[in-house]
Amino acid sequence: MNLRDRQRTESRPKEAGESLRLDGSMNPQNWNDTTGKYRTLLKEQSETIRTQKDTISGQALVIRQQMDTIETQEKTIAQLRDSMERGMAQAAKAKRSMEEQCENELSGKDSLILQAQGLAQEWKKKEERAEQEMSRMEQNYSSQISALKSEIQNFSGRLVKLNGADLVLKENEELKK
């Protein structure tokens, strides 16, 4: 069957001219246009399917690679876990040894700590006494400063009076002249 034969069989007679369009409306349409549209749509869908197949193939390859990576990582994790368990056993042994050594050193240092605490208490008492002495000295100096201030005020008052008296004397001398 050639293209003309197909077009004749695909073209619809005019008495059956009304059919549903692709958009659902009831309007007359050319049967050849519809066939062409379907062919174009099929070509687009075929191309989409090919593209999706290629994408799926690529994704399957990536998944296989990831599965291989996961297997490798699982092996590495198992090796690390074994290594970690050995390391933990060694660490526990070293910890016990260090604890014993620390206990021995601490017992010797306890007396040093007690001596340091005694010295600290002694220095604290000296500090308190020094603070009390400083407080007494501050009060003493404060009272001395107050006394000196009142003395300065007295002297200032006397100076003002003497200056006034000097002026009176000068005036008197000028008047005598």
Side-chain angles (χ1 to χ4, degrees):
M1 185 178 232
N2 63 24
L3 183 59
R4 280 188 207 160
D5 293 335
R6 277 195 220 143
Q7 287 176 346
R8 282 187 207 142
T9 58
E10 290 176 354
S11 64
R12 301 189 104 187
K14 292 195 180 194
E15 60 270 1
E18 287 190 7
S19 65
L20 279 175
R21 284 182 158 250
L22 293 177
D23 62 1
S25 64
M26 289 290 289
N27 292 324
Q29 74 179 34
N30 187 342
W31 187 251
N32 288 332
D33 289 344
T34 304
T35 304
K37 288 178 185 176
Y38 280 124
R39 285 184 181 154
T40 303
L41 183 63
L42 285 173
K43 284 180 187 178
E44 290 173 0
Q45 289 176 344
S46 291
E47 186 60 34
T48 302
I49 290 170
R50 264 188 247 115
T51 304
Q52 289 176 347
K53 280 183 180 180
D54 292 343
T55 303
I56 290 170
S57 296
Q59 289 175 347
L61 178 63
V62 168
I63 289 171
R64 274 188 239 109
Q65 290 171 346
Q66 288 177 347
M67 292 295 287
D68 292 343
T69 303
I70 289 171
E71 287 177 20
T72 303
Q73 289 175 347
E74 285 176 345
K75 289 176 184 177
T76 303
I77 289 171
Q79 291 171 350
L80 289 172
R81 187 174 291 135
D82 291 342
S83 175
M84 183 182 69
E85 288 173 358
R86 285 191 303 269
M88 288 175 65
Q90 290 173 351
K93 184 177 178 182
K95 179 183 175 187
R96 277 185 248 114
S97 173
M98 299 261 316
E99 285 174 347
E100 290 172 2
Q101 183 181 358
C102 286
E103 284 178 17
N104 293 336
E105 288 179 14
L106 286 175
S107 63
K109 292 182 180 180
D110 281 344
S111 64
L112 292 175
I113 291 172
L114 290 174
Q115 288 175 356
Q117 286 175 343
L119 286 173
Q121 288 175 353
E122 188 178 319
W123 280 101
K124 188 175 180 180
K125 288 178 185 177
K126 285 181 182 181
E127 179 187 8
E128 289 172 355
R129 279 184 257 152
E131 285 178 4
Q132 289 172 354
E133 185 63 29
M134 293 273 289
S135 179
R136 278 191 294 250
M137 289 173 71
E138 282 179 22
Q139 289 172 355
N140 187 15
Y141 288 141
S142 180
S143 63
Q144 287 178 4
I145 289 171
S146 296
L148 288 173
K149 282 182 182 178
S150 65
E151 240 180 273
I152 289 171
Q153 286 176 349
N154 288 336
F155 284 135
S156 292
R158 282 187 198 168
L159 281 175
V160 170
K161 288 179 185 176
L162 288 174
N163 282 338
D166 280 346
L167 287 176
V168 170
L169 285 174
K170 281 183 186 180
E171 287 177 7
N172 284 340
E173 284 180 17
E174 284 180 21
L175 288 174
K176 285 182 187 180
K177 287 184 186 179

